[in-house]
Amino acid sequence: MVMVSKDLFGTGKLIRAADLTLGPEACEPLVSMDTEDVVRFEVGLHECGSSMQVTDDALVYSTFLLHNPRPVGNLSIVRTNRAEIPIECHYPRQGNVSSQAILPTWLPFRTTVFSEEKLTFSLRLMEENWNAEKRSPTFHLGDAAHLQAEIHTGSHVPLRLFVDHCVATPTPDQNASPYHTIVDFHGCLVDGLTDASSAFKVPRPGPDTLQFTVDVFHFANDSRNMIYITCHLKTIPAEQEPDELNKACSFSKSSNSWFPVEGPADICQCCSKGDCGTPSHSRRQPHVVSQWSRSASRNRRHVTEEADITVGPLIFLDRSADYEVEQWALPADTSVLLLGIGLAVVASLTLTAVILVLTRRCRTASQPVSVSQ
């Protein structure tokens, strides 16, 4: 498809479609309305006398657009110049080249490998408004952690991301003890069943992003005030409907029922039963290689469309006892201000003490001395 502006010379004088042809064989443009601003040619790459050249990186098809103005009606004058404009179309040699859709629409193995290797999973702590990544990992009991799972697909076919399973542990090892399950049964946010308000955010920003909140907590009888959250992320084709194995479900206390982020409501019914089919992902028997834990996975010919991602540590503070721990998170300007105030108070007290000493000495020196006769 070649589209030519009727204001070909940029002077405001519109050319006529009848004065344009394409290539050595003078192919004529498609029929267009006089009110349209462009003239269109729809021809194949090998048509109209075009030539092809093969370079190291590309296939180059060359032709030209000819503007040959002719007098209108009985006039013997023209107001525009004859012009020949070269046209080149470059196609990379590594991909498929066709002016028509490939049926069936397959992709060569090499192209598939390049696409899949661009998959990148992430799990991040976000600010409450979801607009930026959280700067400080500190929380107080009663706060909610805002978590965002995301996949960057590059040139891969569109994918829909799900959080299949999440577990919290006091160390980065997801098999450590004690532990607390946050998401289970292929996408059921079971942490919201208790006294927490943990839930997936509805609607999701896009198929490749899933957001959820978790009410913060700490492990009883454990002196460590930090936890790590490890989530098993997986994807399905974006056009595939969610099902019991691929879903994001939250529990509503007001209705005492489960509801999905998207898809039919009945895909969440299995969350109440605690059995949402197979295969099952167990934290004690991980069946997927972590995204960056084993270098061997990088040497494979393709990248799996699921991964275990860990975020942390999340540091939980007591509002009174752990005040000093929180000081590192204060802005630099605030710390300087507090230091300045402290120095000013010390200087003021010192100056007051000096003045009192000098006053007493002056009083002593001014007292009259009596001399006995």
Side-chain angles (χ1 to χ4, degrees), residues 11-73:
T11 61
K13 299 289 185 180
L14 304 184
I15 62 173
R16 296 188 307 151
D19 293 339
L20 294 176
T21 57
L22 186 66
E25 297 181 3
C27 292
E28 296 181 353
L30 298 175
V31 177
S32 61
M33 303 295 292
D34 292 338
T35 56
E36 294 185 30
D37 296 330
V38 296
V39 179
R40 295 177 175 83
F41 293 85
E42 187 172 345
V43 296
L45 291 173
H46 299 281
E47 298 176 358
C48 300
S50 63
S51 61
M52 184 191 72
Q53 180 184 3
V54 180
T55 66
D56 292 339
D57 301 321
L59 302 177
V60 182
Y61 291 85
S62 302
T63 186
F64 60 86
L65 176 72
L66 180 63
H67 175 244
N68 188 22
R70 288 165 289 184
V72 179

Side-chain angles (χ1 to χ4, degrees), residues 241-254:
E241 280 292 320
D243 52 34
E244 288 190 351
L245 296 178
N246 305 282
K247 63 185 182 300
C249 297
S250 304
F251 185 74
S252 170
K253 293 183 175 63
S254 59

